[in-house]
Amino acid sequence: MSEHVGAPARSVGAAIRAMLRRDHWALAGAVTIVVLGIAAVAADLLTAIEGQDPYSYSTGALNPETGGPAGVLGGVSGAHWFGVEPLTGRDLFAIVVHGARTSFLIGLAATAVSVLVGVLIGAGAGYLGGWYDRVVTWTADVFLGFPYLVFMIALGAVVPSSVSRPLLLILVIGFFGWPSIARIVRSQVLTLKKRNFVSAARILGASPWQVFRSELLPNLWAPVIVLGTLSIPGKIGLEAALSFLGVGIPPPTPSWGRAISTAVDWVSTDPMFLFFPGVALFLATWAFTVFGDGLRDALDPKTDVRR
Amino acid sequence: MQAKKLVSVVAALGVLAACGANDPKTTGAEQSKAEQGGTLRILNEGQTLNYDPAKSSSLPITSLGFVHRRLTGWLNAEGKQVEVVPDLGDTGKASDGGKTWTFTLKEGQKFSDGTPIRSKDVKWGVERTYAPAFSGGLAYHKQLLVGGADYRGPFEGKSLDSIETPDDKTIIFHLVRPYGDWPWITSTPAFAPVPEGKGAEADYSEHPVASGPYQLSEYQRGVKATLTRNPNWDKGSDQIRGGLPDQIVFQLGQDASVVSQRLVADSGDDKDAFGSSFASPAQLAQLQGNASAKQRLVTSKTGALAYLALNTQKLTNPKVRQAFQYAVDKTSYQIATAGSAQLAGDTATTLITQGIAGREQFDLYPTQPAGDPEKAKQLLAEGGFPNGLENLDFVVSKSNDGPTKAQAIQASLAKANIKVNIRVLDADAYEAETNLAKDAVYDLTLASWQPDFPSANANIQPLFASSEIGNGGYNTSRYSNPEVDKLIEAAQSEVDPAAAGKKWVELDKKILADSPVVPLIYTRNSFLHGSKVANFFIADFPSYPNYLQAGIAK
């Protein structure tokens, strides 16, 4: 660990930069996120360079005896960088990078939904108090103990297929993430509202919304960013779990969870089919977790309130 | 060529039993004979096992046959055409040009409770199938018996007068029209006897009165069902059941891949077991590297017709429907089904399945098996869609690898500018939408059809008669052509099999010219069994193993 201790951070951005210089694990996480992020954004370009796409069947790349990939290591070759999918001959590299797009889109968008809902509800509960606070706290407790995976599976089966699945997943996964954020934000607001600058604003006649926007929110960014980042891997994992169970992203849109689900049956004959999407999912969740940990160390909300 | 090789592998199982192989690993099961005694275990994916004949669509040679005998039965063996043979009764005599059928029951038959089986009990069993509470079984007889159209079962106090039982041994059926295949119809589960007056309770399937070699002694939904010997079964009068094992245990609710792992490992009780569901492509690929397990794999020569149904109510232009015949890549479908053409089955071009008497091989849309997207585009343009079709709704069932197969079709249609959206449904929801719904919203669906008896009649009528649209019928292409309906009725009425065969082939061509379905493959089924299960075979028809002849080797 570096002995260097930077000047007290002036802003969230500066704090993150300082943290990345200090914490090598968090830096590794950040680099992995960037690499996977680029793969997700430039998926079409990357697969075009490879000369493949995630939808075209290529039965020529399969072993005619078994339907598994022809060649060693699941058919890894210059034409198919990660080999091919059994029974279809679709390019596994294309599936993995397009799957990254699916995972990131849903993981990040769902996090945005939970942060938005969680901050609004939590800040309201902490600032307004009274019966509203009690209802929010009670509801959050119920939601935290709710068997949400079962609920999501049921919902996936009930909601008509005319509703866009990615949108449904974002809303459902995002919605179930609000209680943990709301609870932290609420406790943060409870301490903040006793501070003089908040009292001053209130005495000067600021409405709750104005207090929230100009006094509370700037002090909530740090814990919210930490919590949000730390909840992304859980949400990516949840999307993968739902796709694994067959109620997530519908085929043929690539998804890591669905690829892993199919690959489980093939693990004894074609382990590479499980390896590549499995590693991609592992890297994505690991990267967001270590990066989030680094952020928490840098922006610990319990010790530092910034103006 | 490849197909032939496969067939010889299947046949080898029988041959090995007699001659003995060189491989030391196979000294156990394959070479020994099925003997009396032991426990046969059947690993079942389903949570339930239905032993109510009224609600059953079980083949005469599988699980229901252990417990219930029927008026007629099937005798099948490797390399022989399946025959309809006497079971409880004889195979019937037609009179009145095929409109009246008279059957005589064998002497001295008893139920498991010791009471004699009378013709009245067979009649009661058939009448029960008309009760709304006991629907869901095979229903070929329901419209054919006079008065059947508005009969509502015996529990409302009325009997069906078109079934006469002048004495305890004789039963006479009066049909609305001549029907040459009637002795095959009497081999469906509806013609299993139920003691007159019994079976009013909904859970009759859990304590049925047995007429076959076994009775249901224990049933735990989702766990297991145990069959023990029926002391009143008369082996001498039964030529279709071996009745070899002392006990049969169904393990229910087993995960398919776990079943396959257990059977591959072949240890302990699993040596006496076989799996009742098809081996999946991943399992088949795994078996290629395991010589011992590969030898315990039984694959049918042919089987159900897998087809892509085109909803003719929505895709109304025959030109457009014909484009699908060229657009579909049948080879990628084969690979998606079983990993290789050899294990999946031959590509199909006719509606009548292989092995059915009178079948004629033809191809109205000759092209390479991988399809011809250019020709498809050209037909679409002629049909008024030069830019292809967009957003077609393609509904598939989640079960039986449906989504994987659907993706293979989706990818090949895309090459011909036909863009489809796959909609995956659970088995029940799928049935509600394709078979039960009056109006269908889907454009395409994947289906598979194994005839319920070996006659072209059972290939064509259930799928293309306009009476079979909705209400539980299987006409999923919603094909309605009055001329075809008339020809179906004419072919059904033909009592001479050769003449009937010609009429069915004509219908096969006539229907395919309208292109309501794209025939994909004649699906082979593969099953895996333990090393001590002997005499486990799949004959030419049906493409399922004969449960009733299997036994345990010592």
Side-chain angles (χ1 to χ4, degrees):
Chain A
M1 271 294 176
S2 164
E3 286 295 302
H4 171 79
V5 177
R10 298 261 171 233
S11 69
V12 170
I16 293 173
R17 278 193 294 279
M19 177 273 289
L20 287 179
R21 274 195 298 276
R22 217 165 46 231
D23 185 342
H24 299 294
W25 279 113
L27 182 63
V31 169
T32 311
I33 293 169
V34 169
V35 168
L36 287 171
I38 289 172
V41 172
D44 288 319
L45 181 68
L46 287 171
T47 45
I49 294 171
E50 193 201 14
Q52 306 291 344
D53 71 83
Y55 304 107
S56 293
Y57 276 50
S58 141
T59 46
L62 299 175
N63 176 347
E65 293 280 307
T66 63
V72 290
L73 292 177
V76 171
S77 67
H80 299 285
W81 298 346
F82 286 2
V84 295
E85 185 183 50
L87 299 184
T88 67
R90 288 185 292 202
D91 184 68
L92 198 52
F93 175 76
I95 289 176
V96 169
V97 292
H98 279 84
R101 179 180 283 186
T102 309
S103 282
F104 273 53
L105 173 74
I106 291 185
L108 295 176
T111 302
V113 171
S114 18
V115 165
L116 185 72
V117 176
V119 167
L120 287 178
I121 292 181
Y127 187 73
L128 300 174
W131 65 268
Y132 176 70
D133 183 28
R134 284 198 295 279
V135 169
V136 166
T137 316
W138 180 78
T139 315
D141 284 343
V142 169
F143 268 87
L144 281 171
F146 198 80
Y148 53 87
L149 191 62
V150 177
F151 179 80
M152 287 177 195
I153 293 168
L155 205 63
V158 169
V159 172
S161 51
S162 51
V163 178
S164 150
R165 284 290 126 160
L167 188 67
L168 179 73
L169 284 173
I170 289 168
L171 290 179
V172 172
I173 295 176
F175 180 71
F176 276 93
W178 72 263
S180 52
I181 291 181
R183 291 213 318 185
I184 305 277
V185 168
R186 171 182 168 271
S187 58
Q188 191 73 5
V189 169
L190 279 178
T191 55
L192 282 173
K193 80 173 177 184
K194 299 198 184 89
R195 300 286 292 264
N196 291 339
F197 63 90
V198 178
S199 308
R202 204 165 34 204
I203 290 160
L204 286 171
S207 70
W209 178 246
Q210 281 166 327
V211 173
F212 171 72
R213 278 209 37 211
S214 50
E215 310 301 332
L216 297 179
L217 201 54
N219 288 298
L220 290 173
W221 277 125
V224 163
I225 287 172
V226 170
L227 279 171
T229 312
L230 281 172
S231 79
I232 291 172
K235 294 190 164 66
I236 288 178
L238 199 53
E239 181 273 320
L242 290 171
S243 294
F244 183 93
L245 295 168
V247 289
I249 297 289
T253 308
S255 149
W256 290 343
R258 184 151 31 74
I260 290 170
S261 161
T262 320
V264 167
D265 286 341
W266 288 89
V267 71
S268 58
T269 38
D270 179 15
M272 298 314 270
F273 182 29
L274 182 61
F275 178 79
F276 287 112
V279 165
L281 179 61
F282 167 76
L283 282 179
T285 49
W286 170 81
F288 277 108
T289 306
V290 291
F291 181 66
D293 271 344
L295 276 182
R296 185 168 50 195
D297 292 343
L299 307 173
D300 193 352
K302 282 188 280 266
T303 56
D304 196 2
V305 173
R306 272 171 284 273
R307 270 247 59 186
Chain B
M1 286 293 268
Q2 284 190 320
K4 276 198 183 133
K5 195 169 145 203
L6 175 91
V7 169
S8 64
V9 169
V10 176
L13 281 161
V15 176
L16 277 170
C19 68
N22 298 327
D23 189 344
K25 274 187 183 164
T26 61
T27 41
E30 289 87 345
Q31 298 169 16
S32 22
K33 240 180 87 207
E35 291 183 49
Q36 192 82 17
T39 298
L40 177 67
R41 294 168 196 277
I42 302 175
L43 310 179
N44 208 340
E45 232 182 305
Q47 298 282 342
T48 58
L49 201 59
N50 172 35
Y51 271 109
D52 186 335
K55 294 191 209 167
S56 173
S57 51
S58 178
L59 289 167
I61 55 155
T62 58
S63 46
L64 194 80
F66 284 130
V67 172
H68 297 294
R69 296 181 69 174
R70 305 171 186 187
L71 205 46
T72 54
W74 296 2
L75 189 63
N76 77 347
E78 285 170 90
K80 283 190 196 150
Q81 283 271 2
V82 60
E83 288 176 75
V84 62
V85 293
D87 192 355
L88 276 176
D90 56 9
T91 50
K93 280 171 223 49
S95 53
D96 196 10
K99 269 176 88 170
T100 303
W101 286 84
T102 307
F103 292 79
T104 308
L105 268 61
K106 290 174 187 162
E107 289 294 329
Q109 304 300 313
K110 284 181 188 159
F111 280 114
S112 51
D113 60 5
T115 55
I117 299 175
R118 305 157 302 171
S119 53
K120 280 179 201 161
D121 302 318
V122 176
K123 175 178 178 176
W124 182 262
V126 177
E127 285 177 340
R128 253 183 105 242
T129 64
Y130 285 92
F134 297 100
S135 65
L138 291 183
Y140 289 91
H141 60 287
K142 287 192 182 171
Q143 303 290 323
L144 281 171
L145 286 163
V146 172
D150 23 60
Y151 182 59
R152 290 179 52 84
F155 303 111
E156 295 177 9
K158 282 191 198 148
S159 75
L160 189 59
D161 297 331
S162 53
I163 308 177
E164 277 182 72
T165 52
D167 59 57
D168 279 354
K169 293 280 159 275
T170 312
I171 185 162
I172 305 166
F173 299 97
H174 296 282
L175 310 184
V176 290
R177 56 193 160 92
Y179 200 85
D181 284 329
W182 185 253
W184 288 103
I185 304 292
T186 57
S187 71
T188 58
F191 294 83
V194 175
E196 191 184 15
K198 291 204 174 171
E201 62 280 11
D203 64 348
Y204 181 71
S205 68
E206 294 181 21
H207 49 83
V209 183
S211 51
Y214 302 94
Q215 48 193 349
L216 184 61
S217 64
E218 190 201 357
Y219 178 68
Q220 282 175 276
R221 190 194 151 97
V223 184
K224 71 170 185 174
T226 309
L227 308 183
T228 50
R229 286 200 179 278
N230 167 10
N232 287 308
W233 174 61
D234 172 22
K235 189 176 168 87
S237 74
D238 195 337
Q239 58 175 322
I240 60 180
R241 293 172 185 80
L244 294 175
D246 285 335
Q247 194 175 232
I248 290 158
V249 176
F250 286 88
Q251 295 192 7
L252 305 176
Q254 303 291 310
D255 181 74
S257 58
V258 176
V259 165
S260 150
Q261 295 302 335
R262 279 171 58 183
L263 291 171
V264 168
D266 193 39
S267 63
D269 283 348
D270 292 340
K271 286 183 180 162
D272 304 340
F274 70 84
S276 65
S277 40
F278 311 141
S280 79
Q283 294 154 10
L284 291 171
Q286 195 185 345
L287 293 177
Q288 298 301 316
N290 183 330
S292 133
K294 205 172 162 184
Q295 236 157 357
R296 291 184 279 109
L297 184 74
V298 180
T299 303
S300 66
K301 268 188 207 178
T302 177
L305 173 75
Y307 59 94
L308 175 70
L310 312 170
N311 183 353
T312 53
Q313 290 172 351
K314 298 193 78 188
L315 299 163
T316 48
N317 186 340
K319 268 263 158 33
V320 171
R321 295 200 298 263
Q322 283 165 0
F324 284 82
Q325 303 280 355
Y326 294 98
V328 167
D329 176 354
K330 294 178 186 177
T331 56
S332 71
Y333 184 84
Q334 283 176 317
I335 292 168
T337 305
S340 68
Q342 185 184 336
L343 285 169
D346 299 335
T347 54
T349 54
T350 67
L351 300 172
I352 299 175
T353 44
Q354 293 172 327
I356 298 290
R359 173 179 185 269
E360 204 181 288
Q361 171 69 37
F362 63 88
D363 189 354
L364 294 187
Y365 306 99
T367 174
Q368 65 263 37
D372 184 351
E374 293 312 313
K375 174 95 182 170
K377 281 182 198 165
Q378 185 193 327
L379 279 166
L380 283 179
E382 284 171 32
F385 294 93
N387 299 321
L389 298 164
E390 293 255 340
N391 275 329
L392 295 185
D393 181 33
F394 186 12
V395 63
V396 287
S397 166
K398 193 183 274 179
S399 63
N400 226 337
D401 278 335
T404 316
K405 296 173 188 169
Q407 285 185 65
I409 300 284
Q410 184 185 42
S412 64
L413 292 179
K415 285 191 205 160
N417 283 340
I418 302 172
K419 306 270 188 311
V420 304
N421 301 324
I422 296 176
R423 193 153 53 91
V424 181
L425 294 179
D426 268 332
D428 290 343
Y430 175 79
E431 201 186 308
E433 193 163 330
T434 54
N435 305 350
L436 299 170
K438 210 169 155 43
D439 299 298
V441 294
Y442 60 86
D443 296 299
L444 313 170
T445 184
L446 269 182
S448 157
W449 186 256
Q450 154 101 8
D452 290 303
F453 51 94
S455 159
N457 179 3
N459 278 122
I460 289 182
Q461 189 271 342
L463 302 189
F464 301 104
S466 60
S467 59
E468 302 299 314
I469 299 175
N471 292 323
Y474 287 90
N475 186 343
T476 45
S477 51
R478 311 252 153 183
Y479 179 69
S480 172
N481 181 342
E483 203 186 333
V484 164
D485 283 345
K486 239 181 246 153
L487 288 171
I488 287 176
E489 211 156 292
Q492 282 182 334
S493 307
E494 183 60 64
V495 185
D496 171 36
K502 284 217 175 67
K503 290 188 172 172
W504 289 118
V505 170
E506 248 175 75
L507 266 165
D508 192 346
K509 291 178 180 165
K510 190 166 182 62
I511 294 168
L512 269 180
D514 269 342
S515 185
V517 301
V518 181
L520 299 169
I521 60 172
Y522 306 110
T523 322
R524 290 194 178 122
N525 300 334
S526 293
F527 298 85
L528 197 56
H529 67 86
S531 58
K532 285 192 166 177
V533 177
N535 203 22
F536 185 80
F537 65 88
I538 304 179
D540 292 3
F541 183 91
S543 55
Y544 290 84
N546 187 321
Y547 291 14
L548 309 180
Q549 298 285 352
I552 300 299
K554 281 272 160 16

